[in-house]
Amino acid sequence: MAGLFESTGGGSAAIVLDELEASILRSLEVQMLELIGPGPGGESDDPLAALFAEGPSEAPEDPALARLFPDAYGEPGAVADDETKASAAEFRRYTELDLRARKRDDALSVVRALDGLGGAGGEVKVAAADCPRWLCALNDLRLTLGTRLEVTEEDEEGLYQLPDSDQRKPLVMAYLWLGGMQESLIEAMTG
């Protein structure tokens, strides 16, 4: 997989993906949409009700979702006291639904752009205004894969040396590819 972004000027970017790369990226984003889901309480067509909707107060049990929607208070991995738990629950209750909606919108932005290829490979042009959405969507995928693979800073170098027989190899390849895409997108946006 070699699809990387290049600057097209003005903060916009383009990436050429072959059919397999486009299919893999689209599949990962669709899986991300399924993982994020509509959130507790579902979607409301009433904008006023949506404005005042309250989200969950407990962190997700799924480690990947917990990574995407971390507690805003307390140290990761540390046992929180009652005050910290209450602050984290209150913050989550009023922010998680919006965060889920933004993550869904980011993933949908990528899916729609890839759908524009008509199931084939080709060049995807990303306007400057959409580049941050792509960057966030790629980051969410990478965080999720990293969590599923239980990647730590210490292991990341070892990922390059996994034998082909390792069952994790396809996910590791996607994880590393997404990292390269993120890096190239940042360079394209700023270059």
Side-chain angles (χ1 to χ4, degrees), residues 5-184:
F5 286 93
E6 293 186 16
S7 176
T8 57
S12 59
I15 186 168
V16 176
L17 299 169
D18 65 30
E19 185 176 344
L20 179 62
E21 291 169 331
S23 174
I24 290 169
L25 184 55
R26 186 184 188 288
S27 175
L28 289 171
E29 289 295 356
V30 168
Q31 290 175 56
M32 178 59 63
L33 288 166
E34 291 170 359
L35 177 66
I36 293 170
E43 299 287 334
S44 174
D45 290 335
D46 179 1
L48 189 58
L51 181 65
F52 292 105
E54 292 183 9
S57 58
E58 296 292 321
E61 289 184 26
D62 182 323
L65 285 173
R67 183 71 175 101
L68 292 173
F69 305 105
D71 280 335
Y73 295 88
E75 293 295 319
V79 177
D81 61 26
D82 289 341
E83 184 179 337
T84 302
K85 286 180 185 177
S87 296
E90 189 74 1
F91 186 83
R92 177 179 301 282
R93 190 163 55 120
Y94 292 110
T95 61
E96 187 170 313
L97 292 180
D98 287 340
L99 187 55
R100 281 181 185 266
R102 187 187 58 86
K103 289 182 180 299
R104 275 192 303 278
D105 289 345
D106 294 343
L108 279 170
S109 177
V110 174
V111 169
R112 287 182 182 125
L114 294 172
D115 284 350
L117 296 175
E123 182 179 45
V124 178
K125 294 180 181 179
V126 184
D130 291 328
C131 283
R133 287 185 153 205
W134 273 71
L135 192 58
C136 289
L138 293 172
N139 188 59
D140 289 344
L141 286 176
R142 196 157 187 270
L143 287 173
T144 300
L145 286 175
T147 302
R148 296 283 191 240
L149 291 166
E150 298 178 350
V151 173
T152 64
E153 287 182 37
E154 296 82 36
D155 317 320
E156 196 158 319
E157 193 61 40
L159 295 177
Y160 291 97
Q161 286 128 24
L162 280 179
D164 290 341
S165 60
D166 192 308
Q167 295 176 358
R168 300 173 298 160
K169 184 83 175 203
L171 289 179
V172 167
M173 289 177 61
Y175 174 81
L176 295 172
W177 177 53
L178 291 166
M181 287 177 66
Q182 280 182 286
E183 188 175 325
S184 69

